[in-house]
């Protein structure tokens, strides 16, 4: 992965390709993609909630790679997801979708260093005639850069 900013799009593409989630439409929480009003199928919006970058241990030193010293920082990223289910379905369907997302991300081999995944309670949104469920996925990764080794 080239940048921690690509994580939401990567997660979105990963989940959209999961056969167990084929009836769910995944969209970016950016303004480019919108959830329709009223909701007629299940949608999940995905985007970054928060990023916290802290210095790596040992002054950021991570080791050697390809004749270069690698330095980096630790990025803790909170990815927000919101599940929308139509009014015609039971609000519990939001939890079913959350369970499938949980299973896909935690029980299969993924490239994400997932620290936790959690959700709140289902609420009804009268403005878009749907049930919704706020979720949060926390991932950690090292953001590194290489510096040529000093020749003696």
């Amino acid at each position: 992965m080239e940048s921690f900013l690509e994580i939401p799009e990567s997660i979105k593409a990963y989940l959209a390709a999961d056969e167990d989630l084929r009836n769910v439409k995944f969209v970016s929480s950016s303004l480019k993609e919108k959830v329709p009003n009223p909701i007629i199928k299940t949608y999940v919006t995905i985007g970054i909630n928060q990023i916290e970058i802290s210095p790596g241990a040992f002054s950021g030193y991570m080791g050697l790679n390809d004749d270069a010293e690698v330095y980096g920082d630790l990025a803790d990223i909170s990815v927000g997801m919101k599940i929308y289910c139509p009014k015609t379905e039971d609000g519990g369907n939001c939890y079913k979708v959350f369970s499938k997302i949980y299973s896909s991300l935690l029980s299969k081999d993924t490239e994400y260093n997932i620290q936790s995944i959690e959700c709140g309670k289902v609420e009804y949104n009268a403005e878009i005639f749907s049930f919704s469920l706020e979720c949060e996925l926390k991932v950690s990764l090292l953001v590194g850069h290489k510096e040529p080794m000093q020749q003696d």
Side-chain angles (χ1 to χ4, degrees):
M1 193 162 306
E2 291 182 24
S3 166
F4 56 84
L5 296 174
E6 296 172 358
I7 285 181
E9 285 300 314
S10 176
I11 291 171
K12 182 177 93 169
Y14 174 82
L15 292 172
D18 189 315
E19 187 63 26
D20 290 338
L21 293 163
R22 67 183 171 280
N23 294 327
V24 177
K25 172 82 171 151
F26 293 90
V27 297
S28 173
S29 62
S30 70
L31 298 177
K32 295 178 194 172
E33 296 182 89
K34 301 255 186 212
V35 173
N37 185 359
I39 297 289
I40 54 174
K41 65 181 285 186
T42 302
Y43 284 82
V44 177
T45 60
I46 300 176
I48 291 179
N49 280 349
Q50 181 177 348
I51 300 172
E52 183 178 325
I53 300 176
S54 56
F58 307 112
S59 298
Y61 183 73
M62 297 167 54
L64 297 175
N65 186 358
D66 299 328
D67 296 327
E69 292 181 321
V70 180
Y71 292 86
D73 299 315
L74 180 64
D76 290 320
I77 303 166
S78 168
V79 177
M81 293 184 285
K82 192 163 189 177
I83 300 169
Y84 296 92
C85 292
K87 177 182 177 181
T88 56
E89 296 178 11
D90 182 270
N93 193 50
C94 289
Y95 289 120
K96 290 177 186 173
V97 172
F98 174 78
S99 179
K100 289 178 183 181
I101 290 171
Y102 167 89
S103 294
S104 183
L105 290 172
L106 294 181
S107 62
K108 296 178 184 170
D109 188 27
T110 66
E111 64 182 286
Y112 313 109
N113 184 17
I114 296 173
Q115 302 302 303
S116 67
I117 183 169
E118 58 190 55
C119 69
K121 66 178 187 169
V122 172
E123 297 180 352
Y124 181 72
N125 184 334
E127 291 179 17
I128 57 175
F129 307 102
S130 73
F131 294 99
S132 63
L133 178 64
E134 294 269 351
C135 309
E136 183 177 38
L137 172 67
K138 294 182 181 176
V139 298
S140 290
L141 61 110
L142 293 172
V143 181
H145 63 277
K146 295 180 182 181
E147 292 184 12
M149 290 184 58
Q150 300 292 328
Q151 301 296 327
D152 293 328

